[in-house]
Amino acid sequence: MSAALRAQLFLCLISLLSGTGLTRYIEDNEASDGLYSLISLAQKRESEDFIFRRPLRCLDMLATEGYFTFVASRPQLACAAFIIAEPSEVISLELSDVSIDCSAGDFIKIFDGWVLKGERFPSSNDHPLLPHERYTDYCSSAASSVSGQSSQNVAMIFFRIHSPESGFTLAVKKVHNPFPCNIMSQSPEGSFTMVMPHQRRNCSFSIIYPVEIRLTDLSLGDAKSNEISPLRQKWPGCSGSGDYVELLGGNGVDTSKMFPVADLCFSLSGLAQMKIGCDNSVVRLVSSGNYINRVTFQYRLLDQNEIPKTRENSLENFCSVE
């Protein structure tokens, strides 16, 4: 992930965080300087043996393997670091050299996914673990180091530290995932294929940008359904079929709270496309577990003149589609 793409994605996250306590960090002058130094920082490996190390900021985004050390210079009461990997990777995190006072209200928590504006990605409907099982709390552990591995290509940590000079080191490693599910895209443009092999599971591909999505291939359920015309882009009642694809749009990251733009519950080999003028655009594959389901799609960022004007207090109007 290039520094420019990382900066663009980070700024999109900041817009989604609007209204939370974390945004007060950005409004601070010192924090603003830290943000722009983060954006300009190049995180490139010089060789296979190179181990990347750098300080961790109170509000940060990590897309590189390495060691990130946080040392509080003053009380930091609402901090978070978002970690993202490639779609075909999951993230391994380990805390070490921890010097915080849990009895004084300090904490460090690892979360399996992302939380933005109180919404979780992946949603509770799509994640294999219960909400409380997705948190790993350092202060609840008797071990001197705590580790966790994400179920998808994103994870995060929350932390609160009151005393100066207190802190910790976070080790980030990436692990190959043969069947990626519930992916946050690093880029506003690209292509991807989601495959669900005989598993009763829902998988979402989330793009935090307004985009045009083109479905180029879709295989669902019984192969005989290929006989249905690919021009039929919306099938009422697809949720009853057990195997289908949804296109969703919204201002948050929880797919259960997003606006359903279209759904397809028949196979096609051709082009079906739609523009979604939302902060977040999602392709969601729902599988009954009875078949091998597959969807291939392309996506590109909409130009500013392609995004319709918005009207307040209407999600449907805000997330305009064509």
Side-chain angles (χ1 to χ4, degrees), residues 93-169:
L93 302 176
E94 183 175 0
L95 295 169
S96 61
D97 301 326
V98 180
S99 60
I100 65 173
D101 187 351
C102 296
S103 63
D106 293 356
F107 66 78
I108 309 172
K109 297 181 181 182
I110 298 174
F111 182 71
D112 187 359
W114 278 359
V115 178
L116 294 165
K117 295 173 66 176
E119 295 186 7
R120 300 181 182 95
F121 177 85
S123 74
S124 297
N125 293 339
D126 296 347
H127 201 279
L129 299 178
L130 295 174
H132 72 274
E133 295 175 327
R134 298 169 66 177
Y135 290 91
T136 301
D137 189 348
Y138 172 82
C139 289
S140 298
S141 172
S144 59
S145 63
V146 168
S147 61
Q149 182 167 297
S150 68
S151 304
Q152 60 290 309
N153 77 320
V154 292
M156 68 183 301
I157 63 167
F158 305 91
F159 56 99
R160 174 188 296 166
I161 299 178
H162 290 82
S163 301
E165 304 306 319
S166 296
F168 60 91
T169 294

Side-chain angles (χ1 to χ4, degrees), residues 18-269:
S18 177
T20 70
L22 287 173
T23 53
R24 288 195 292 271
Y25 174 82
I26 301 244
E27 293 167 358
D28 181 84
N29 289 332
E30 293 182 16
S32 296
D33 293 339
L35 171 62
Y36 288 107
S37 65
L38 164 69
I39 292 174
S40 63
L41 181 65
Q43 299 181 2
K44 295 183 179 179
R45 296 176 181 271
E46 295 177 357
S47 71
E48 287 297 322
D49 298 327
F50 176 75
I51 299 176
F52 185 82
R53 297 177 184 270
R54 76 158 170 84
L56 183 70
R57 295 168 175 83
C58 179
L59 184 61
D60 214 332
M61 183 169 184
L62 311 177
T64 305
E65 292 184 312
Y67 292 85
F68 305 86
T69 300
F70 182 82
V71 178
S73 59
R74 54 187 173 85
Q76 299 282 13
L77 306 183
C79 298
F82 298 87
I83 304 102
I84 189 167
E86 295 296 325
S88 60
E89 297 173 327
V90 293
I91 301 164
S92 174
L93 302 176
E94 183 175 0
L95 295 169
S96 61
D97 301 326
V98 180
S99 60
I100 65 173
D101 187 351
C102 296
S103 63
D106 293 356
F107 66 78
I108 309 172
K109 297 181 181 182
I110 298 174
F111 182 71
D112 187 359
W114 278 359
V115 178
L116 294 165
K117 295 173 66 176
E119 295 186 7
R120 300 181 182 95
F121 177 85
S123 74
S124 297
N125 293 339
D126 296 347
H127 201 279
L129 299 178
L130 295 174
H132 72 274
E133 295 175 327
R134 298 169 66 177
Y135 290 91
T136 301
D137 189 348
Y138 172 82
C139 289
S140 298
S141 172
S144 59
S145 63
V146 168
S147 61
Q149 182 167 297
S150 68
S151 304
Q152 60 290 309
N153 77 320
V154 292
M156 68 183 301
I157 63 167
F158 305 91
F159 56 99
R160 174 188 296 166
I161 299 178
H162 290 82
S163 301
E165 304 306 319
S166 296
F168 60 91
T169 294
L170 175 70
V172 177
K173 296 181 180 180
K174 300 176 183 180
V175 181
H176 178 66
N177 181 11
F179 292 105
C181 180
N182 295 323
I183 298 133
M184 186 70 71
S185 177
Q186 294 187 6
S187 169
E189 298 183 351
S191 61
F192 195 74
T193 297
M194 281 194 294
V195 180
M196 186 47 54
H198 293 291
Q199 292 183 29
R200 185 180 178 87
R201 192 175 182 189
N202 307 328
C203 294
S204 295
F205 190 96
S206 183
I207 312 158
I208 310 182
Y209 305 91
V211 296
E212 179 186 67
I213 296 174
R214 298 186 177 190
L215 300 183
T216 56
D217 187 66
L218 178 60
S219 176
L220 294 170
D222 193 336
K224 293 180 180 179
S225 61
N226 283 318
E227 298 173 0
I228 299 175
S229 170
L231 297 177
R232 188 173 183 180
Q233 295 190 22
K234 186 168 182 179
W235 186 293
C238 273
S239 60
S241 69
D243 299 272
Y244 60 98
V245 165
E246 287 184 304
L247 299 182
L248 305 171
N251 301 327
V253 294
D254 188 330
T255 55
S256 67
K257 299 178 181 179
M258 296 178 71
F259 178 71
V261 176
D263 54 11
L264 300 94
C265 45
F266 56 90
S267 296
L268 64 84
S269 56

